[in-house]
Amino acid sequence: MKLTSLLTSVAVLGLVTVGHIAPGTFTPSIGIVATAADLPSAQERITLVTKNKGQIGGGDQLRRFFYGDLEPLGVQPGGAGMVVNLYNKANNVTFSYCATYDVVVAVKKGRIATFQASEVK
C-alpha cells in the first residue's frame, strides 16, 4: 500500500467523522433560542416588576430585566432594615430594593433619592 493512499484514506475518514459530529454539536437546542419578539418591552418589564412588588424573588426579576442598567441612588430605612434605591436611566424609573428578602418594595417614575417611609415598609 502506498503512503499517499494511506494518508488519503485517513483524511477522508477524518472529514467524514468531523462532518458527522459537527452539526449536532454546534446547533443550539430549539428550547433555548429566543428572538427579540419573545422578550417583553421595557414598559412591560416595569409593569411585571411593579405587579410582583413585595413578593420574594422580585429582586431576581429586577436584576434579570435591567442587568447593568441600574444606578444606586442611596440607602434608606425600610423593608427589613435598609433598602437600596436603584435608578434606571433608560426608562426614568426608580426601584426600591430590599436585599434581605430579595424583594422590590416600591417603584416610582423619576429619579427618587428617598421614598416616603410608608412606601418602603
Side-chain angles (χ1 to χ4, degrees), residues 9 12 21 25 29 56 62 76-78 80 97-98 104 107 115:
S9 299
V12 169
I21 294 173
T25 58
S29 69
I56 294 175
L62 178 71
Q76 73 178 76
Y97 167 71
C98 174
V104 175
V107 179
F115 284 85

Side-chain angles (χ1 to χ4, degrees), residues 1-13:
M1 185 187 252
K2 292 184 180 180
L3 182 62
T4 55
S5 64
L6 180 65
L7 290 176
T8 304
S9 299
V10 170
V12 169
L13 181 63

Side-chain angles (χ1 to χ4, degrees), residues 6-103:
L6 180 65
L7 290 176
T8 304
S9 299
V10 170
V12 169
L13 181 63
L15 287 173
V16 168
T17 303
V18 171
H20 180 68
I21 294 173
T25 58
F26 296 113
T27 305
S29 69
I30 295 171
I32 297 173
V33 178
T35 62
D38 297 337
L39 302 174
S41 69
Q43 187 55 47
E44 290 172 333
R45 289 181 280 177
I46 293 168
T47 303
L48 280 171
V49 170
T50 304
K51 184 180 105 179
N52 296 328
K53 181 172 66 170
Q55 295 180 13
I56 294 175
D60 183 45
Q61 185 179 48
L62 178 71
R63 287 186 298 276
R64 251 185 300 123
F65 286 161
F66 301 104
Y67 179 77
D69 292 336
L70 298 171
E71 171 188 330
L73 293 178
V75 180
Q76 73 178 76
M82 302 295 268
V83 295
V84 179
N85 296 327
L86 303 165
Y87 178 66
N88 181 277
K89 187 177 184 179
N91 300 305
N92 191 29
V93 175
T94 303
F95 302 95
S96 187
Y97 167 71
C98 174
T100 304
Y101 293 108
D102 194 34
V103 297

